[in-house]
């Protein structure tokens, strides 16, 4: 296996157990330079990366603290300002623009994680930015009020322990479709349900493994009944809040 594949196959999250060891400015710079190498639509790079180094701020805003955090926001502000500067029209408010910029942003964030891993730096992605009042991110980090949306935070640092466990993945039927889409039949569904519970595959999310929920012996029972509880009030409220924010910042009518 070549070094690139070795890095990709060793990717793993550090779920909040970061030590006090700092990453160097040089490594941070390499990670950022790698992140912006990701593919992006029309060479627009429609994102911004906010670098956060205050641990208390990380903890308060992202729920996790490492040496540095990178807040990846999809963002058209720089492109809008440049258009205005050059006296050109520029249109960027719409669902399609949101989706395209979101793709740019996510690709950049994952590239940063791969770069970090290749340098021996641990990481955690968190979408904690979508939990609770999102307006506070706009206030704290002075994000533009239009056409800018926090997508994901990437916490960087060094894990407290080196017992990193690589998590398994599905990679077969139902996920990969050759030639045409294939819905899983009952026996394939059962195989998948069982696959989640193979200890060596290490598929269950960390909270389940920590034993927060003991009632369920099968991972997917917990996943559907507890973790993704349908129609929960919290979920409904979040959907409403994100919907109205997307209207306010100019991506949906
Ligand atoms: C969009 C997104 C949000 C995530 N949010 C959290 C989070 O808030 N807390 C956490 O511990 N892990 C979070 N993770 C990490 C996932 O739990 C982790 O990637 C997954 O369990 C697979 O494990 P691995 O990354 O070690 O392979 C997030 C990952 C993604 C892509």
């Amino acid at each position: 296996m070549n070094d690139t594949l070795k890095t990709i196959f060793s990717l793993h999250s550090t779920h909040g157990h970061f030590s006090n060891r700092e990453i160097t400015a040089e490594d941070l710079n390499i990670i950022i330079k790698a992140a912006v190498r990701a593919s992006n639509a029309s060479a627009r790079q429609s994102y911004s990366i906010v670098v956060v180094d205050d641990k208390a701020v990380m903890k308060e805003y992202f729920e996790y603290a490492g040496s540095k955090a990178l807040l990846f926001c999809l963002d058209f502000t720089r492109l809008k300002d440049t258009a205005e500067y050059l006296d050109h029209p520029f249109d960027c408010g719409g669902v399609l623009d949101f989706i395209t910029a979101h793709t740019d942003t996510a690709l950049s964030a994952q590239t940063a994680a791969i770069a970090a891993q290749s340098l021996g730096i641990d990481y955690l992605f968190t979408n904690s930015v979508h939990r609770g009042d999102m307006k506070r991110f706009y206030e704290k980090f002075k994000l533009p009020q239009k056409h800018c949306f926090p997508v994901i935070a990437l916490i960087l640092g060094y894990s407290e322990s080196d017992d990193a466990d690589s998590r398994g993945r599905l990679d077969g039927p139902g996920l990969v479709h050759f030639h045409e889409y294939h819905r899983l039949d009952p026996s394939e569904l059962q195989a998948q349900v069982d696959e989640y519970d193979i200890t060596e595959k290490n598929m269950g999310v960390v909270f389940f493994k920590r034993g927060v929920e003991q009632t369920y012996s099968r991972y997917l029972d917990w996943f559907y009944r507890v973790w993704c509880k349908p129609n929960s009030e919290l979920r409904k409220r979040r959907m409403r809040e994100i919907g109205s924010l997307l209207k306010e910042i100019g991506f949906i009518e």
Side-chain angles (χ1 to χ4, degrees), residues 26-230:
E26 191 189 3
D27 281 349
L28 177 66
N29 190 35
I30 292 170
I31 291 167
I32 291 169
K33 284 204 176 325
V36 301
R37 294 301 309 156
S39 295
N40 65 105
S42 309
R44 294 193 306 191
Q45 291 181 262
S46 28
Y47 53 80
S48 287
I49 305 168
V50 181
V51 181
V52 179
D53 54 13
D54 183 321
K55 290 182 182 28
V57 171
M58 281 181 231
K59 194 81 187 148
E60 183 179 348
Y61 286 83
F62 308 137
E63 295 177 15
Y64 303 90
S67 168
K68 299 278 183 291
L70 305 181
L71 176 61
F72 285 84
C73 304
L74 71 80
D75 183 22
F76 286 100
T77 309
R78 177 180 44 79
L79 287 158
K80 283 195 306 186
D81 289 349
T82 310
E84 195 182 320
Y85 174 72
L86 294 174
D87 202 19
H88 291 308
F90 183 65
D91 207 359
C92 64
V95 174
L96 181 60
D97 291 309
F98 183 89
I99 293 170
T100 309
H102 194 281
T103 306
D104 281 5
T105 312
L107 292 178
S108 175
Q110 177 65 9
T111 306
I114 294 171
Q117 177 87 57
S118 77
L119 294 167
I121 293 169
D122 297 305
Y123 65 87
L124 178 73
F125 278 116
T126 176
N127 55 357
S128 49
V129 292
H130 303 149
R131 302 197 262 269
D133 175 19
M134 285 195 68
K135 292 274 179 60
R136 63 202 191 102
F137 295 96
Y138 288 80
E139 281 157 26
K140 178 69 188 172
F141 302 111
K142 299 198 168 30
L143 302 179
Q145 303 285 329
K146 288 276 176 194
H147 305 123
C148 177
F149 180 81
V151 171
I152 192 103
L154 177 64
I155 315 294
L156 297 168
Y158 292 92
S159 178
E160 260 173 1
S161 59
D162 53 7
D163 58 348
D165 54 346
S166 190
R167 315 292 292 281
R169 297 285 196 271
L170 299 175
D171 57 7
L175 198 130
V176 184
H177 308 261
F178 290 97
H179 311 303
E180 59 183 25
Y181 198 94
H182 166 73
R183 294 281 288 270
L184 296 182
D185 63 28
S187 69
E188 290 168 321
L189 285 169
Q190 186 58 51
Q192 187 187 272
V193 170
D194 295 340
E195 194 172 347
Y196 271 98
D197 288 327
I198 299 172
T199 313
E200 303 75 53
K201 282 216 79 167
N202 200 19
M203 301 263 291
V205 299
V206 75
F207 307 114
F208 181 70
K209 291 181 59 185
R210 276 184 200 147
V212 169
E213 182 53 73
Q214 303 283 5
T215 320
Y216 300 93
S217 56
R218 276 195 316 204
Y219 169 75
L220 284 181
D221 292 334
W222 172 84
F223 175 80
Y224 288 117
R225 298 257 170 200
V226 180
W227 193 241
C228 305
K229 197 173 172 199

